[in-house]
Amino acid sequence: MPAWRIVVGSDDAGFDYKEVIKKDLEASDLVASVADVGVDADSHTNYPTIARAAAEMVARGEADRAILVCGTGLGVAIGANKVKGIRAVTAHDSFSVERSVLSNNAQVLCMGQRVIGIEQARRNVREWLTYVFDETSASNHKVREICSYEGL
Ligand code: RB5
């Protein structure tokens, strides 16, 4: 099992969950490092800026994966997916979180603070850390098709 380098980010609407999840990640044996692209308690950066900053870290290979939180988990996913090579999903249930990695090799998990409870969000992250995409699986050629569209 790899020790993941994770980047976290949120807008104001996801700040509280981002802080809780960051602490969980910092305490996890499955996590090598946690970077935080904001917001902090006093800043008010819009979700597209935060999503792009986190996604670019993953695309540059400075982080393996990202967790993004906004009000719904939707805006940050749209923003992150604009970065070449990034597969970001909004997932709030255990099965979708699992499939986002095992079927889609998504590197970015997005959740909405106004959508699910904090304990479900924390559980999703705990489970997400345990999944590793299998490049020999039947899903790989489908993910490759997405990469090919981007010229990757
Ligand atoms: C608040 O700006 C809210 O719109 C945002 O957090 C997010 O839910 C957007 O998708």
Side-chain angles (χ1 to χ4, degrees):
M1 183 64 64
W4 304 108
R5 296 167 302 154
I6 310 283
V7 53
V8 297
S10 74
D11 65 1
D12 306 33
F15 174 74
D16 293 345
Y17 278 25
K18 188 259 289 177
E19 291 298 301
V20 171
I21 289 166
K22 183 167 74 168
K23 285 195 176 62
D24 285 350
L25 291 169
E26 287 167 344
S28 171
D29 292 340
L30 299 179
V31 175
S33 65
V34 184
D36 184 347
V37 292
V39 295
D40 61 33
D42 302 318
S43 61
H44 305 284
T45 311
N46 288 337
Y47 69 83
T49 303
I50 296 292
R52 188 173 67 246
E56 285 178 345
M57 283 187 69
V58 175
R60 287 195 299 263
E62 296 166 10
D64 303 307
R65 291 182 172 186
I67 296 278
L68 293 170
V69 188
C70 65
T72 58
L74 301 175
V76 282
I78 293 168
N81 275 315
K82 298 299 178 191
V83 176
K84 192 170 184 174
I86 293 303
R87 293 174 296 282
V89 297
T90 306
H92 290 120
D93 67 280
S94 183
F95 182 67
S96 299
V97 169
E98 177 195 296
R99 296 326 306 172
S100 76
V101 176
L102 300 186
S103 295
N104 311 118
N105 196 11
Q107 317 99 320
V108 184
L109 174 62
C110 305
M111 294 183 287
Q113 183 170 316
R114 296 171 179 160
V115 180
I116 55 170
I118 184 60
E119 293 309 326
Q120 182 65 52
R122 295 175 76 199
R123 175 188 294 252
N124 287 346
V125 175
R126 279 198 302 277
E127 293 177 359
W128 176 77
L129 292 171
T130 69
Y131 301 126
V132 182
F133 183 68
D134 177 2
E135 291 190 355
T136 68
S137 73
S139 295
N140 193 43
H141 77 280
K142 299 167 196 168
V143 175
R144 289 299 320 155
E145 195 173 320
I146 297 169
C147 298
S148 297
Y149 180 75
E150 293 185 299
L152 296 173

